């Protein structure tokens, strides 16, 4: 009944869902032929689909050899992230692994069999991933190894301290997401599908990652609290409460929403950089790959803004709304239009 009410309130969702299922998704996610790949790459794409269905779709729509490079890049960082997330690994072992992880890419036999994380298969079968990494062109290998090294150091640093200031929030987000944006941009340029400036302008590429990461951190307040993780910056939340967990208490809801709105406003400062970055892209598959997550993030922030539900459960954009964004975010003009619409909602 609730689903019916939602659809009646947004009849365009029904139309767009039908349009998507009847072939509209092919415009942004063309079909790939897995049988044309070697066994190692087939395994890598299977892991990709198992660990991130949404990301897997846009990665597999990329053109040429860039598709394989980004797939391997994603799996390497997923393996690194799995080490960081696994609370069963002792701190000293974890710090050492994070510092050394980039070197495992060149060790054909290295794997880790003691993880209890849900994504542990990328560690247990790391030899398949590292083999396909070494099969990539050296220009791709250098980018992936460099980003993996820097990210591992940053993750280890923040394992041992919390995010206090807004500057530290930006630094943490840089390590876990800004570096991804920088690495992807360097891969785009290395493939020659995009101009060199895309990979060289690290400030804009960093903003792309920060915008997505801050959106996730804002949206996932309650889930992170339940898992014992804290990523909201103390500099902001300490103005509203003595403990970050207290924002979830019903009697603190008004202060909690004010704190939430301040963080959403902070994240929206990255929007001009995002639009500038997207305006430089020439290849359609790269544009779709970059634009879809960004418009989803803008829509998610609009849904979170002034929304008490952030402190009570999960805030998600409607499925039909997501489908519309995926199919329509295919030009800079369309992305600007959608962005302005959501920012105006805020």
């Amino acid at each position: 009944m609730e689903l019916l009410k939602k659809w009646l309130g947004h009849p365009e969702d029904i139309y767009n869902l039908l349009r998507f299922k009847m072939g509209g998704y092919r415009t942004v996610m063309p079909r790939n032929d897995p049988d044309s790949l070697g066994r190692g790459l087939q395994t890598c794409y299977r892991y990709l689909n198992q660990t991130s269905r949404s990301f897997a779709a846009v990665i597999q729509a990329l053109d040429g050899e860039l598709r394989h490079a980004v797939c391997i890049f994603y799996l390497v960082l997923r393996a690194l992230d799995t080490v960081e997330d696994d609370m069963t690994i002792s701190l000293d072992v974890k710090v050492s692994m994070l510092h050394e992880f980039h070197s495992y890419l060149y060790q054909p036999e290295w794997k880790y069999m003691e993880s209890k994380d849900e994504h542990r298969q990328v560690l247990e079968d790391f030899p398949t991933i590292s083999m396909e990494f070494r099969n990539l062109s050296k220009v791709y290998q250098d980018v992936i190894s460099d980003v993996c090294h820097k990210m591992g150091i940053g993750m280890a640093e923040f394992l041992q301290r919390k995010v206090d200031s807004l500057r530290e929030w930006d630094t943490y987000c840089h390590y876990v997401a800004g570096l991804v944006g920088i690495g992807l941009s360097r891969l785009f340029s290395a493939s020659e599908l995009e101009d060199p400036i895309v990979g060289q302008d690290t400030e804009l590429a960093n903003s792309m990652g920060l915008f997505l990461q801050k959106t996730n951190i804002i949206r996932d307040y309650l889930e992170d609290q339940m898992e014992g993780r804290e990523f909201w910056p103390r500099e902001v939340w300490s103005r509203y409460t003595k403990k970050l967990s207290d924002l979830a208490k019903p009697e603190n809801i008004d202060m909690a929403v004010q704190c939430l709105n301040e963080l959403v406003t902070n994240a929206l400062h990255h929007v001009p950089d995002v639009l500038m970055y997207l305006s430089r892209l020439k290849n359609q598959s790269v544009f779709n790959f970059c634009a879809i997550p960004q418009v989803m993030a803008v829509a998610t922030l609009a849904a979170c803004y002034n929304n008490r539900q952030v402190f009570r459960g999960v805030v998600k954009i409607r499925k039909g709304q997501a489908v519309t964004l995926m199919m329509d975010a295919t030009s800079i003009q369309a992305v600007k239009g959608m962005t302005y619409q959501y920012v105006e909602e805020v």
Side-chain angles (χ1 to χ4, degrees):
M1 193 68 183
E2 282 301 313
L3 184 61
L4 182 61
K5 285 179 183 175
K6 283 184 182 179
W7 275 5
L8 289 174
H10 301 275
E12 72 279 6
D13 285 2
I14 304 174
Y15 168 73
N16 286 323
L17 277 168
L18 287 171
R19 188 160 66 101
F20 186 75
K21 289 184 176 181
M22 292 177 71
Y25 61 95
R26 293 282 176 231
T27 59
V28 288
M29 297 174 187
R31 179 182 277 120
N32 288 296
D33 180 16
D35 295 333
S36 65
L37 305 175
R39 184 175 296 178
L41 272 176
Q42 285 187 28
T43 301
C44 287
Y45 279 106
R46 187 171 80 249
Y47 291 155
L48 179 66
N49 281 288
Q50 289 171 352
T51 53
S52 176
R53 289 178 62 188
S54 56
F55 229 147
V58 285
I59 287 174
Q60 290 173 95
L62 287 167
D63 288 340
E65 62 183 14
L66 178 62
R67 180 187 311 148
H68 302 327
V70 173
C71 173
I72 301 305
F73 185 42
Y74 176 87
L75 291 178
V76 168
L77 298 188
R78 168 58 74 183
L80 181 68
D81 195 48
T82 301
V83 172
E84 184 203 26
D85 285 346
D86 193 335
M87 302 306 288
T88 67
I89 305 174
S90 65
L91 185 63
D92 56 336
V93 171
K94 186 180 290 193
V95 168
S96 175
M97 287 178 70
L98 291 173
H99 280 159
E100 296 300 320
F101 205 87
H102 67 289
S103 69
Y104 303 151
L105 292 166
Y106 299 98
Q107 298 176 30
E109 303 301 320
W110 187 89
K111 59 186 173 183
Y112 186 74
M113 303 300 291
E114 296 170 40
S115 175
K116 302 294 187 292
D117 192 271
E118 61 176 321
H119 299 306
R120 60 184 175 274
Q121 76 268 24
V122 294
L123 291 172
E124 293 173 350
D125 192 19
F126 198 75
T128 297
I129 296 168
S130 68
M131 176 184 70
E132 292 303 331
F133 163 82
R134 293 188 299 276
N135 285 338
L136 295 172
S137 300
K138 188 177 183 301
V139 67
Y140 296 134
Q141 289 185 38
D142 290 347
V143 171
I144 295 170
S145 175
D146 181 51
V147 170
C148 183
H149 188 195
K150 290 172 179 172
M151 188 177 289
I153 291 171
M155 284 177 166
E157 179 185 332
F158 276 92
L159 277 177
Q160 301 169 82
R161 65 185 175 100
K162 290 188 175 180
V163 178
D164 282 332
S165 67
L166 280 168
R167 178 175 290 182
E168 285 178 322
W169 200 36
D170 280 358
T171 302
Y172 171 75
C173 291
H174 163 73
Y175 281 135
V176 299
L179 281 170
V180 180
I182 291 168
L184 286 169
S185 301
R186 289 170 62 190
L187 293 178
F188 299 156
S189 293
S191 72
E192 299 185 355
L193 293 174
E194 297 296 344
D195 291 335
I197 187 63
V198 172
Q200 292 165 357
D201 194 335
T202 55
E203 189 172 336
L204 290 190
N206 188 57
S207 261
M208 292 282 283
L210 262 61
F211 186 58
L212 297 182
Q213 186 66 21
K214 287 182 178 181
T215 299
N216 290 340
I217 287 172
I218 291 166
R219 180 199 61 199
D220 294 341
Y221 165 84
L222 195 60
E223 180 186 326
D224 286 336
Q225 281 294 307
M226 292 169 70
E227 295 289 334
R229 299 187 295 257
E230 293 191 354
F231 299 115
W232 283 27
R234 177 187 292 270
E235 181 182 331
V236 175
W237 64 255
S238 62
R239 291 200 289 269
Y240 300 93
T241 184
K242 290 184 178 179
K243 289 195 302 181
L244 181 57
S245 58
D246 287 346
L247 292 179
K249 294 179 178 178
E251 63 268 26
N252 295 330
I253 193 63
D254 289 340
M255 296 296 273
V257 168
Q258 288 180 45
C259 182
L260 164 70
N261 290 349
E262 187 171 338
L263 290 182
V264 171
T265 304
N266 174 283
L268 287 172
H269 280 92
H270 296 289
V271 168
D273 281 353
V274 168
L275 295 178
M276 175 63 76
Y277 180 97
L278 293 175
S279 71
R280 287 178 173 169
L281 301 178
K282 301 186 302 183
N283 179 272
Q284 188 64 56
S285 74
V286 172
F287 184 89
N288 294 348
F289 174 85
C290 294
I292 290 170
Q294 299 293 334
V295 293
M296 296 279 198
V298 176
T300 299
L301 285 180
C304 288
Y305 189 81
N306 223 38
N307 190 346
R308 297 180 172 200
Q309 187 62 23
V310 170
F311 304 96
R312 297 169 177 166
V314 181
V315 174
K316 287 186 177 180
I317 58 177
R318 303 183 310 276
K319 196 168 185 179
Q321 184 183 4
V323 161
T324 301
L325 294 173
M326 287 169 62
M327 289 195 296
D328 291 351
T330 54
S331 72
I332 187 61
Q333 292 79 14
V335 168
K336 283 181 178 178
M338 287 184 275
T339 301
Y340 293 152
Q341 173 195 329
Y342 287 115
V343 170
E344 201 164 82
E345 273 186 31
V346 171

